Amino acid sequence: MLSKWRRFLPGKRAESKFPTSLPGSNRLSTIRSLDDANNFVAQLKAQSEPKDQIAKQEYYRTLVLAQTPKAVLAQIQMDKHKHGYRNREKRLYELIDFNDSFVSYVLATPHAQLPGLAEKLQVDMTTLCRKLDTPMFTNLQFEAIVRGLSREIAVYRGSLHRGFKARMTNRTEDAFGIDMVITQPETGKTLNIDCKTPPAFRHRMEDLLKDGRITEQQLLAADEADFITTEHRRNDERVNVTMLCIRPDTLGEIIDFTFTDTAPLALLLNKVFDSIS
């Protein structure tokens, strides 16, 4: 839960609204409007990421909470205009930025503290949005965000657990939809991973087939193997990206952002590495 709101003292507002340091997320109590929240986020991002693990965890928790009101409004606009509108890309990047902060918060949190983390965060986000009189994610929206990010975090954490090297990408700066980069230490081979649910995996492959980028035979093989590697192009850049199907039937369940067993993931990743030169 968020700490108790401190009594607001009008005479001190100017000097305390936006701190130059971040001793804790109780500083969120100084936010009283959406503009305040947006300015607060800008100040947080201007600071260096704390080196101390506890401070880093608190930093990202505070950042997630402060970004929530803007992210919710972006989600509302995205849902309202499903077929595109003038500011769609800007709203999309606001959501991506929020998701990146959420992932960083989870990764900065000790494993023992992960149970119940999402539920506690949802309560804190709701409290802040009520204070600012702004909308909050619906339960369905929030659950969808947590499920989607849980898959990515579980793959990242699972790959590290199995001895691979891995790093998450900053998607606000990435043009290829890459969630993470995983390296096989013994070979030095590297994969650019894009995690997909089974329906999203199939849908994306059908788009690739329709665009003539893969054949029917490749689609069937990928559907069986639960991965496909294709070349992505943007301007003069060319990057190989591996879509990984995160199928519960083969990879197992994800609980508290973690696979219950990481052996199936290691098997799948090694199959992908074996398929590339």
Side-chain angles (χ1 to χ4, degrees):
M1 293 291 292
L2 284 173
S3 55
K4 283 186 178 180
W5 301 117
R6 295 177 300 170
R7 180 171 294 177
F8 177 61
L9 301 175
K12 295 186 177 181
R13 182 173 185 181
E15 63 183 16
S16 66
K17 187 197 294 188
F18 302 121
T20 54
S21 60
L22 185 67
S25 62
N26 62 331
R27 294 289 188 163
L28 287 164
S29 64
T30 62
I31 296 175
R32 297 189 172 275
S33 69
L34 182 60
D35 285 342
D36 282 0
N38 294 340
N39 290 334
F40 187 65
V41 168
Q43 281 220 345
L44 289 179
K45 288 187 172 184
Q47 299 177 16
S48 299
E49 178 188 85
K51 300 298 182 184
D52 176 76
Q53 191 61 35
I54 295 176
K56 182 189 294 186
Q57 180 186 1
E58 189 65 16
Y59 170 84
Y60 280 114
R61 176 179 173 275
T62 303
L63 188 56
V64 170
L65 290 172
Q67 286 179 295
T68 297
K70 191 173 185 178
V72 174
L73 293 174
Q75 183 70 66
I76 290 172
Q77 288 298 313
M78 294 288 289
D79 291 345
K80 186 177 179 181
H81 304 282
K82 291 184 181 294
H83 301 293
Y85 64 108
R86 187 160 55 93
N87 291 323
R88 180 179 176 81
E89 186 171 347
K90 182 178 180 182
R91 299 290 86 81
L92 177 61
Y93 272 88
E94 288 169 355
L95 286 172
I96 289 173
D97 196 22
F98 170 82
N99 287 345
D100 281 343
S101 297
F102 196 122
V103 168
S104 295
Y105 171 47
V106 175
L107 294 180
T109 300
H111 186 267
Q113 295 179 24
L114 291 178
L117 178 144
E119 292 79 6
K120 293 173 185 174
L121 192 61
Q122 185 180 21
V123 170
D124 293 346
M125 292 161 69
T126 301
T127 299
L128 180 61
C129 288
R130 283 177 180 168
K131 173 183 171 62
L132 302 185
D133 196 25
T134 59
M136 170 56 185
F137 293 117
T138 65
N139 286 338
L140 286 177
Q141 287 172 332
F142 185 75
E143 288 167 8
I145 290 170
V146 172
R147 279 199 308 271
L149 298 182
S150 290
R151 284 188 291 269
E152 297 173 21
I153 294 169
V155 171
Y156 173 80
R157 290 168 58 88
S159 63
L160 291 175
H161 181 255
R162 284 289 161 172
F164 298 96
K165 295 180 181 178
R167 65 175 177 85
M168 301 294 287
T169 60
N170 184 334
R171 283 161 291 187
T172 58
E173 300 172 356
D174 176 60
F176 296 99
I178 299 168
D179 297 322
M180 71 197 72
V181 179
I182 299 177
T183 301
Q184 191 178 45
E186 57 268 32
T187 65
K189 293 179 180 179
T190 294
L191 299 174
N192 297 309
I193 297 292
D194 177 14
C195 299
K196 297 289 188 188
T197 63
F201 182 74
R202 180 74 189 197
H203 180 74
R204 180 59 183 145
M205 285 200 300
E206 289 173 352
D207 285 344
L208 292 171
L209 178 65
K210 186 167 58 177
D211 294 341
R213 295 181 56 192
I214 64 172
T215 65
E216 181 79 30
Q217 186 176 7
Q218 286 174 309
L219 183 149
L220 293 174
D223 204 28
E224 178 71 21
D226 281 342
F227 74 89
I228 188 169
T229 301
T230 55
E231 185 181 75
H232 289 211
R233 301 181 181 183
R234 184 179 176 89
N235 300 323
D236 294 330
E237 285 188 87
R238 297 185 180 187
V239 176
N240 286 330
V241 178
T242 298
M243 275 200 307
L244 209 61
C245 183
I246 312 304
R247 197 184 301 277
D249 292 346
T250 53
L251 295 182
E253 295 300 318
I254 297 171
I255 299 175
D256 297 323
F257 307 97
T258 309
F259 282 115
T260 54
D261 181 8
T262 57
L265 173 66
L267 184 65
L268 177 57
L269 289 175
N270 282 320
K271 280 173 55 180
V272 181
F273 280 115
D274 288 344
S275 72
I276 63 173
S277 55

